[in-house]
Amino acid sequence: KAGVTQTPRYLIKTRGQQVTLSCSPISGHRSVSWYQQTPGQGLQFLFEYFSETQRNKGNFPGRFSGRQFSNSRSEMNVSTLELGDSALYLCASSTDYLNEQYFGPGTRLTVT
Amino acid sequence: GQQLNQSPQSMFIQEGEDVSMNCTSSSIFNTWLWYKQDPGEGPVLLIALYKAGELTSNGRLTAQFGITRKDSFLNISASIPSDVGIYFCAGRIQGAQKLVFGQGTRLTINP
């Protein structure tokens, strides 16, 4: 079974721009969670989608948003990028949010 | 706020040594997960634990769900160079609909 895939793997953006990241979960997994990982803050939970609905949300500003499609693929959008948004963005899929989560390789976002 | 304390934050060991790390909390957990992350990659699930006292092995790795349900331990026996990386614990707090992650233990192996 193929693992979680994320595209793109690397991205460089300028402050004020917006960005969209994509995640394809493991086949059969309906829950997709997004995390931000930085050296100083560790893994921070952004939100979780299940069957196209956002069920859980972390403490991030409204500039961070996401959606999930009927095939369980998910996208995450960050608008009005700030330097502090530079991070590794990870998505994880599972059969349900609180079950074992399997991570993708991440998207490394650099904001200049 | 921080709900999981993972220690140690970093370890420097010699190849062949055994490694121990743990995660503790003041909350009661229903699930413990242990992950390993290599540089530039996403965390890989190593072991999942679901019952207090449960002891589970994955090759040279052994993890235990503490009997108080407030802690978990990961041991690596006879470390090898490919064990280098950051190890994370994660857990589901009883009654809470979320997973919480530890800050990670960075393992370095001296040749």
Side-chain angles (χ1 to χ4, degrees):
Chain A
K1 205 182 253 192
V4 178
T5 58
Q6 291 187 246
T7 57
R9 290 292 311 273
Y10 303 92
L11 209 48
I12 300 175
K13 289 286 188 178
T14 304
R15 271 183 303 175
Q17 289 185 316
Q18 75 167 18
V19 66
T20 299
L21 313 181
S22 181
C23 172
S24 292
I26 292 170
S27 177
H29 285 189
R30 295 165 66 187
S31 172
V32 175
S33 300
W34 287 90
Y35 296 85
Q36 181 194 67
Q37 187 178 37
T38 59
Q41 296 297 317
L43 270 165
Q44 302 288 314
F45 173 70
L46 282 155
F47 31 67
E48 182 250 354
Y49 284 86
F50 185 89
S51 293
E52 302 179 65
T53 301
Q54 186 183 91
R55 290 195 306 185
N56 295 285
K57 190 175 188 303
N59 298 320
F60 277 79
R63 300 186 297 107
F64 293 82
S65 63
R67 59 177 176 169
Q68 187 179 34
F69 301 95
S70 58
N71 62 358
S72 293
R73 189 178 70 84
S74 177
E75 288 182 346
M76 190 193 99
N77 186 77
V78 187
S79 62
T80 319
L81 284 166
E82 302 176 358
L83 294 178
D85 296 333
S86 295
L88 182 66
Y89 289 89
L90 294 161
C91 87
S93 81
S94 60
T95 53
D96 202 347
Y97 170 55
L98 295 174
N99 295 343
E100 300 162 17
Q101 293 195 357
Y102 296 86
F103 285 86
T107 294
R108 171 73 62 185
L109 172 65
T110 302
V111 182
T112 62
Chain B
Q2 179 68 357
Q3 294 175 292
L4 264 185
N5 296 308
Q6 186 170 352
S7 65
Q9 288 188 337
S10 59
M11 301 183 73
F12 297 85
I13 64 168
Q14 299 292 329
E15 183 176 350
E17 289 185 5
D18 295 344
V19 172
S20 291
M21 61 189 79
N22 67 83
C23 281
T24 61
S25 176
S26 57
S27 302
I28 292 175
F29 282 71
N30 286 341
T31 301
W32 286 101
L33 307 172
W34 284 93
Y35 291 88
K36 178 185 180 234
Q37 186 175 24
D38 291 328
E41 298 295 329
V44 173
L45 182 63
L46 300 172
I47 293 175
L49 302 162
Y50 297 102
K51 290 170 53 176
E54 182 180 354
L55 189 70
T56 298
S57 293
N58 178 2
R60 293 177 297 103
L61 279 62
T62 301
Q64 184 166 22
F65 194 137
I67 58 173
T68 65
R69 300 175 64 190
K70 296 181 179 181
D71 53 14
S72 180
F73 308 87
L74 176 70
N75 295 313
I76 305 172
S77 63
S79 59
I80 60 178
S82 62
D83 292 333
V84 166
I86 301 177
Y87 292 80
F88 290 97
C89 63
R92 173 188 168 192
I93 297 175
Q94 179 177 276
Q97 294 299 308
K98 66 176 181 177
L99 286 173
V100 292
F101 283 81
Q103 290 293 93
T105 295
R106 182 181 295 275
L107 178 62
T108 302
I109 297 178
N110 298 320

